[in-house]
Amino acid sequence: MQGLMMQQPLLVASLLMHAERHHGTQEIVSRRVEGDIHRYSYRDLAQRARRMANALAGLGIQAGERVGTLAWNGYRHMELYFAASGSGSVLHTLNPRLHVDQLAYIIEHAQDRVVFFDLTFLPLIESVAPRVKSPKVFVAMTDRAHMPQAHGLSSMLMCYEDLIDLHSDAYEWPLLDENSASSLCYTSGTTGNPKGVLYSHRSTLLHTYAAALPDSLNCSARDAILPVVPMFHVNAWGLPYIACMVGAKLVFPGPALDGKSLYELIEAEQVTLSAGVPTVWQGLLAHADAIEGSFSTMRRTIIGGAPCPTAMTAAFQNRHRVDVLHAWGMTELSPVGTVCSFKTHQLSLPVDERYAVQAKQGRSVFGIDMKIVGPDGAELPWDGNAAGDLLVRGPWVTRQYFGNDDASPLRDGWFPTGDVAKIDRDGFMQITDRSKDVIKSGGEWISSADIENVAYLHADVASAVCIAARHPKWDERPLLLIVKKPDSALTEDELLAFFDGRVAKWWKPDAVVFVESVPLGATGKVLKHQLREQYADHYLSA
Ligand code: AMP
C-alpha cells in the first residue's frame, strides 16, 4: 500500500524561499575583496538571487548547464549558489588554489558556460581564458566602479552588478526533479585528472537536514555562523544551505583568512560557531594568544578536513571556552560523514579521556552507513583495535564521477573512502592511515603522482617518490625522495627550481632527500608505506 503524503520535491531553492519568508531580516555579513564590510538580509539575498536567475536565463544558460564560480566566501557567491542551482542549472565551484592547467582542464571537462570570478582572480582567469573553449562569458563579481580597466578578456567580460541591475526580481523558481543535478565540485584524485562530484537537489537537501542536527554541526536560528572553509571546497561543508534552513546569521570572511582578520570579524559580528581546517585555526589561536584576547561569543568551532590535534582542542576548550567539534567528511560525501559529539556517558570521563575521544573523527550522522574491512573485504569488528579500509554508503554519497559513466568507484555498493580507520564500541571512527596516495596540505590536496611525474622530466632523476611528511603548520607537506642517475651532480635547489611554473607554487615539495635506492615490493612497486613511516617526521625534526 502506498503512503498518502504529498510528493514535494526536495529543492535547493526551497531553502532560500524558507529563509526569505521566515528569517527575512536575518543578516548576512561579508568582508569583500574591495576591502569593506557588506551587510544585508536574507530578503535581499533572495531578491538578488532571483535577479541573477533572470540574468542567467538572459545569458542563455539552459537547465543542466554548468555555471562556474571562482570566488571567496561572500554574498555574491551565495547569490550564485541559489540563482544557478535554483533555476535548474548546475553551480560549479572552482578551486582557485589549483594550477592554471588543472583549472583549464576542469572548466573544459565541466563545459562551463560562464565563469563568475572575484577580482582577486582576474590574473588567473586571464591565464585560463585562452586555454579553454567552453565559456564565452566571464563575469567579474563587482560593481561598475571596480571593473578592471585593462584586462586580457576582450569582449568576454561582464560586470556582476550590471547584470543584477538589468534584470527584474520577478522570477518563479521552477519545480525541478529533485534528482536533477544542483552543483558540481571537483576533487583531486590520486592519479590522473581531478574528478567531478555531481550533487543533486535531493542529496543536498537530505545532507542539509542531517548536517544541521544537534549532534552534527549543531546549527540554529540563534547562531552567527562563520564558514572559513571555502565555498569552493564542498560547498563550505554545506553551511550556506544549513544557514538558510535554520535561519542563522551568516558571516563571510572573503579573502582575509589570517588570524587577526578572523579574530576581529568573529568579535565584531558576534560569531557563535565557526568552521575550518586546523591550519586556519592555528593562525587564529596564535593571534588570540599574542593579544591575550578571548572570544566573547564564539562557543563552538567545527574542525575537519584534516585531523584535529589534541593540543588545538585543548587550546580552544581550556583557554577560550570554545567547544571543538571534530568532523570527518569528503567531497564525495557532500561532505559530512561523522562528527565527534559526546554521548552522555562520555561527559563524565576524566579530561584526558575526553580529549582521547575528541581526537577521533566521530560517529556517523544518520544517513551515513559505514564499515571497515580487511584486505579480503571481510568486515572488521568495532572494537577500537581492528583497523581497515573505511567504506560508506548513503543518499548523499557519490555513486559515479561526472562524465565517467563506465567506471563506478563503488565496491559492492559501498564507496571506498581511501581512509584507513578503526571504530570503537560506541561507534566512534578514528582515522589511522590513508590508503590513497595523496598529500593534504592546509586542507587542500596535492597529488604525489603529479609531483613524481614532474621530477621524472628532469634528465638526472632515476627514481622519484613523493610522500606526505607531517608539518607543524600545514598538517602535511610533500617530501621528495630522489635516486639520481649515476654521476649526476644534481642539487636540491636545482631540482626544486625545476618545479617553478610546472606545478602550483604551494605544490612544490619543501625538501628533497637524495637516497641510494627506494624499497620495492615483490611486484616492483615502491613500498611507499615504508618510506612514509621512515620520513614521517622529516619536517618536524628539521
Ligand atoms: P576532501 O574531499 O578534499 O574534503 O578530502 C576528504 C579527505 O580528507 C578524507 O578522505 C580524509 O582523508 C581527509 N579528512 C577529512 N577530514 C578529516 C579529519 N577530521 N581527520 C583526518 N582526515 C580527514
Side-chain angles (χ1 to χ4, degrees):
M1 191 191 284
Q2 292 261 301
L4 293 174
M5 308 307 280
M6 290 185 192
Q7 279 291 336
Q8 191 134 352
L10 300 170
L11 298 177
V12 164
S14 62
L15 292 167
L16 184 62
M17 286 155 72
H18 173 83
E20 181 182 23
R21 181 169 252 260
H22 298 277
H23 305 280
T25 56
Q26 181 63 284
E27 264 190 315
I28 298 175
V29 179
S30 311
R31 198 193 286 274
R32 299 203 283 192
V33 287
E34 291 92 339
D36 56 351
I37 296 278
H38 172 274
R39 56 181 77 237
Y40 72 2
S41 66
Y42 275 105
R43 197 166 289 144
D44 300 320
L45 165 73
Q47 191 209 57
R48 282 169 54 95
R50 290 196 298 271
R51 284 174 184 261
M52 189 42 72
N54 275 324
L56 292 177
L59 290 171
I61 313 290
Q62 307 282 320
E65 290 188 328
R66 270 72 66 197
V67 171
T69 61
L70 194 64
W72 301 110
N73 294 4
Y75 67 104
R76 291 189 182 112
H77 206 173
M78 182 84 172
E79 289 162 10
L80 288 166
Y81 261 52
F82 291 96
S85 306
S87 63
S89 52
V90 179
L91 172 87
H92 175 201
T93 49
L94 293 156
N95 184 340
R97 306 215 192 277
L98 295 177
H99 188 260
V100 60
D101 288 342
Q102 282 181 314
L103 265 180
Y105 167 83
I106 290 172
I107 291 172
E108 255 333 74
H109 188 262
Q111 291 285 292
D112 289 341
R113 284 286 316 276
V114 51
V115 174
F116 290 77
F117 66 94
D118 267 333
L119 284 180
T120 325
F121 305 122
L122 176 65
L124 199 48
I125 287 288
E126 285 175 315
S127 306
V128 165
R131 299 176 199 224
V132 294
K133 284 197 225 77
S134 45
K136 299 280 176 280
V137 181
F138 294 92
V139 183
M141 293 162 69
T142 189
D143 54 23
R144 186 110 307 266
H146 291 88
M147 279 299 279
Q149 296 309 310
H151 58 81
L153 295 170
S154 61
S155 59
M156 299 191 290
L157 185 63
M158 299 179 87
C159 168
Y160 189 93
E161 291 301 328
D162 283 358
L163 285 176
I164 292 276
D165 289 346
L166 278 170
H167 290 87
S168 139
D169 71 343
Y171 184 86
E172 286 283 321
W173 298 108
L175 209 57
L176 306 165
D177 175 350
E178 66 176 14
N179 287 306
S180 60
S182 59
S183 64
L184 176 63
C185 185
Y186 279 69
T187 176
S188 292
T190 46
T191 50
N193 286 310
K195 297 192 276 285
V197 179
L198 188 62
Y199 310 104
S200 69
H201 286 263
R202 176 186 156 82
S203 70
T204 303
L205 268 274
L206 292 175
H207 177 266
T208 307
Y209 278 117
L213 286 170
D215 274 354
S216 298
L217 305 187
N218 189 8
C219 303
S220 86
R222 294 164 301 286
D223 276 314
I225 304 176
L226 172 79
V228 181
V229 51
M231 289 168 84
F232 57 76
H233 194 139
V234 219
N235 304 321
W237 296 347
L239 289 166
Y241 305 118
I242 296 172
C244 283
M245 181 179 271
V246 303
K249 174 177 172 179
L250 263 174
V251 182
F252 286 128
L257 305 179
D258 60 285
K260 179 171 186 289
S261 305
L262 290 176
Y263 180 82
E264 287 170 2
L265 196 61
I266 288 167
E267 286 302 296
E269 297 304 327
Q270 309 221 305
V271 166
T272 60
L273 170 67
S274 56
V277 297
T279 302
V280 155
W281 298 139
Q282 268 180 15
L284 178 70
L285 286 170
H287 177 76
D289 281 350
I291 62 163
E292 295 184 16
S294 57
F295 296 102
S296 45
T297 51
M298 190 164 83
R299 288 292 156 263
R300 281 162 293 139
T301 185
I302 305 157
I303 305 185
C308 176
T310 295
M312 180 169 285
T313 307
F316 270 120
Q317 295 183 174
N318 285 350
R319 289 214 295 278
H320 296 291
R321 294 190 304 125
V322 175
D323 285 335
V324 166
L325 270 180
H326 189 192
W328 168 87
M330 296 182 75
T331 307
E332 287 89 337
L333 270 73
S334 307
V336 178
T338 64
V339 183
C340 193
S341 57
F342 288 119
K343 290 183 170 177
T344 311
H345 74 89
Q346 292 164 328
L347 291 173
S348 50
L349 289 173
V351 69
D352 283 353
E353 288 178 42
R354 283 211 307 274
Y355 282 141
V357 173
Q358 288 188 285
K360 301 181 182 186
Q361 278 70 14
R363 54 198 166 94
S364 264
V365 300
F366 172 76
I368 292 291
D369 213 1
M370 66 179 178
K371 65 175 179 180
I372 42 174
V373 300
D376 56 356
E379 192 168 348
L380 298 174
W382 291 19
D383 60 7
N385 286 318
D389 287 333
L390 177 66
L391 309 182
V392 292
R393 65 181 179 193
W396 55 85
V397 178
T398 198
R399 65 180 156 81
Q400 191 112 46
Y401 290 106
F402 177 61
N404 195 349
D405 300 341
D406 310 332
S408 166
L410 303 190
R411 255 197 251 163
D412 294 332
W414 291 76
F415 179 80
T417 62
D419 289 318
V420 177
K422 50 190 184 178
I423 304 177
D424 69 17
R425 289 188 179 83
D426 280 313
F428 282 64
M429 182 273 285
Q430 183 163 26
I431 293 182
T432 55
D433 198 358
R434 198 190 286 149
S435 57
K436 50 193 172 193
D437 182 16
V438 272
I439 298 151
K440 204 162 201 200
S441 184
E444 300 286 340
W445 292 118
I446 297 173
S447 156
S448 15
D450 284 2
I451 302 285
E452 289 161 8
N453 288 340
V454 171
Y456 276 118
L457 295 175
H458 195 288
D460 285 4
V461 169
S463 295
V465 181
C466 182
I467 54 167
R470 281 195 279 272
H471 192 275
K473 176 166 182 198
W474 303 107
D475 188 40
E476 291 176 0
R477 289 294 301 154
L479 176 68
L480 191 53
L481 307 170
I482 294 289
V483 181
K484 286 194 264 195
K485 289 205 177 141
D487 303 328
S488 157
L490 181 65
T491 65
E492 179 177 21
D493 287 348
E494 275 165 13
L495 187 55
L496 289 178
F498 186 71
F499 280 83
D500 292 336
R502 289 188 162 92
V503 294
K505 271 198 200 109
W506 64 280
W507 275 38
K508 192 167 142 175
D510 292 18
V512 177
V513 177
F514 291 108
V515 290
E516 291 299 316
S517 62
V518 288
L520 300 178
T523 57
K525 249 176 98 175
V526 177
L527 296 174
K528 278 208 167 178
H529 198 73
Q530 200 172 310
L531 290 170
R532 278 216 324 256
E533 265 170 31
Q534 191 178 345
Y535 290 96
D537 291 343
H538 185 84
Y539 294 129
L540 301 182
S541 47

